[in-house]
Amino acid sequence: AQSVAQPEDQVNVAEGNPLTVKCTYSVSGNPYLFWYVQYPNRGLQFLLKYITGDNLVKGSYGFEAEFNKSQTSFHLKKPSALVSDSALYFCAVRSGGSQGNLIFGKGTKLSVKP
Amino acid sequence: NAGVTQTPKFRILKIGQSMTLQCTQDMNHNYMYWYRQDPGMGLKLIYYSVGAGITDKGEVPNGYNVSRSTTEDFPLRLELAAPSQTSVYFCASSFGTGRDEQFFGPGTRLTVL
């Protein structure tokens, strides 16, 4: 069965500091991995995805994520956090070899303080 | 290009009432989805469609029905509303599945009292 875990309910970061939002997954076969962001009272917005190729994926708003197959992780990172990055972040996974649907993590609330 | 639009934005229902949540996309996407979001629970898939005339159940389909008569529209029907259906509902679409990201609507906040 497919699953995805976001071990932190909340991450607090000072503006200008690097941020990491963690995600681990479990799928059969090769994973397709996604990060989405949700601002208050809005729908989810796509940030980036890993399908194949380079393990470091760059996405919108300066975010990047590193796929680590041995650790089954896909952590979201940004070198310098902004207050406007404060939002709810969702990791999602799908098995590349199946017809299964996208499975979302429970979300991590990122709070960036000035 | 409006993307994915949903109506209404908010709705309060009484137990036992019915309603239809509307969803329309103008990106000519084949795949459409309905999710519900409950606090601290992430998103759960209710129903999805791979094209006009084809729908299938997701993880939590009980109490809901869908139809897909056109590529653009994917309405979600709630019959006999229950307090457990209080949630935020999101419609999404994608060109294909697997590798393609999903585009989300702004959501409908539903309260059943």
Side-chain angles (χ1 to χ4, degrees):
Chain A
Q2 301 176 151
S3 65
V4 58
Q6 294 182 241
E8 302 154 318
D9 291 335
Q10 181 155 344
V11 171
N12 298 313
V13 176
E15 187 174 31
N17 283 1
L19 70 86
T20 299
V21 182
K22 296 179 180 178
C23 172
T24 59
Y25 66 89
S26 174
V27 297
S28 56
N30 294 322
Y32 293 161
L33 293 153
F34 300 79
W35 276 103
Y36 290 83
V37 60
Q38 184 181 30
Y39 298 101
N41 300 313
R42 303 285 295 275
L44 277 69
Q45 296 177 33
F46 168 74
L47 275 180
L48 51 79
K49 65 182 177 182
Y50 172 82
I51 303 300
T52 188
D54 194 348
N55 289 344
L56 184 64
V57 179
K58 295 188 182 296
S60 306
Y61 312 121
F63 284 93
E64 59 189 27
E66 185 167 12
F67 171 61
N68 188 317
K69 188 172 184 177
S70 63
Q71 297 187 3
T72 62
S73 67
F74 189 55
H75 300 332
L76 182 70
K77 300 181 180 183
K78 186 173 182 180
S80 179
L82 300 172
V83 173
S84 58
D85 292 330
S86 299
L88 192 56
Y89 290 81
F90 290 95
C91 181
V93 67
R94 181 180 179 274
S95 172
S98 78
Q99 296 300 312
N101 290 300
L102 200 58
I103 303 298
F104 285 85
K106 293 184 177 182
T108 298
K109 182 178 180 181
L110 174 66
S111 178
V112 182
K113 300 293 187 185
Chain B
N1 192 335
V4 179
T5 57
Q6 293 182 238
T7 57
K9 288 187 174 10
F10 305 95
R11 184 72 185 268
I12 298 174
L13 283 181
K14 295 182 179 179
I15 294 172
Q17 288 185 320
S18 301
M19 76 164 293
T20 299
L21 281 67
Q22 301 291 346
C23 175
T24 301
Q25 54 93 7
D26 62 359
M27 296 173 282
N28 202 30
H29 284 170
N30 295 318
Y31 291 76
M32 296 188 74
Y33 314 83
W34 274 105
Y35 294 92
R36 59 177 287 170
Q37 183 181 29
D38 300 304
M41 298 298 293
L43 275 74
K44 301 293 185 184
L45 183 65
I46 304 171
Y47 271 94
Y48 66 99
S49 169
V50 302
I54 305 171
T55 63
D56 208 347
K57 296 178 180 179
E59 186 180 356
V60 290
N62 292 343
Y64 307 94
N65 276 300
V66 293
S67 60
R68 184 98 182 268
S69 57
T70 66
T71 300
E72 296 78 18
D73 300 308
F74 190 42
L76 177 71
R77 177 81 178 165
L78 278 71
E79 304 283 1
L80 299 174
S84 61
Q85 293 178 305
T86 294
S87 188
V88 181
Y89 292 84
F90 289 101
C91 180
S93 70
S94 65
F95 181 72
T97 189
R99 298 174 174 237
D100 295 325
E101 59 269 26
Q102 296 180 11
F103 293 79
F104 284 80
T108 295
R109 185 175 295 274
L110 176 67
T111 301
V112 182
L113 300 175

